[in-house]
Amino acid sequence: MGLGLEESLRLTVAALMQATGNSQRVIAAVLGLTQTQVSRRQSGATSWTLRDVDVLAGHYGIAALDLLAGPTRACEALPAARRRNANAEKGMAR
């Protein structure tokens, strides 16, 4: 059997954090939460909310349904300018 939606969302958030270089502290600030609250969501001790999904999708510049579709789809939908490598290349070009 495949992953449940909650586990898939945790993996997706982790993949997007890795792809963009965002830390749990950054995600916490975006969501208006503490780093501990984000950590609890990522560990599965607390569930992500629909509001969290909406805010995270907006932060990453992707549709909420792409965020819920899993790590591969979310990372494919991630705008190039949001990727960690794109940010490093911008710094090198200056």
Side-chain angles (χ1 to χ4, degrees):
M1 185 165 157
L3 297 175
L5 185 57
E6 287 196 31
E7 179 66 15
S8 178
L9 183 56
R10 287 192 294 274
L11 293 172
T12 300
V13 171
L16 289 169
M17 289 171 56
Q18 177 68 28
T20 61
N22 286 167
S23 66
Q24 285 186 352
R25 288 179 198 256
V26 169
I27 299 305
V30 167
L31 294 169
L33 301 172
T34 66
Q35 181 273 327
T36 301
Q37 289 171 307
V38 171
S39 178
R40 291 180 56 77
R41 282 165 169 76
Q42 279 300 94
S43 71
T46 303
S47 295
W48 290 102
T49 67
L50 290 176
R51 178 197 167 277
D52 294 337
V53 171
D54 281 339
V55 173
L56 285 171
H59 171 69
Y60 287 116
I62 63 176
L65 290 177
D66 288 331
L67 187 67
L68 294 172
T72 302
R73 178 67 196 122
C75 289
E76 288 171 349
L78 188 65
R82 292 288 290 126
R83 296 177 192 278
R84 178 186 295 206
N85 293 341
N87 294 331
E89 290 169 9
K90 283 182 189 176
M92 293 175 63
R94 292 180 183 173

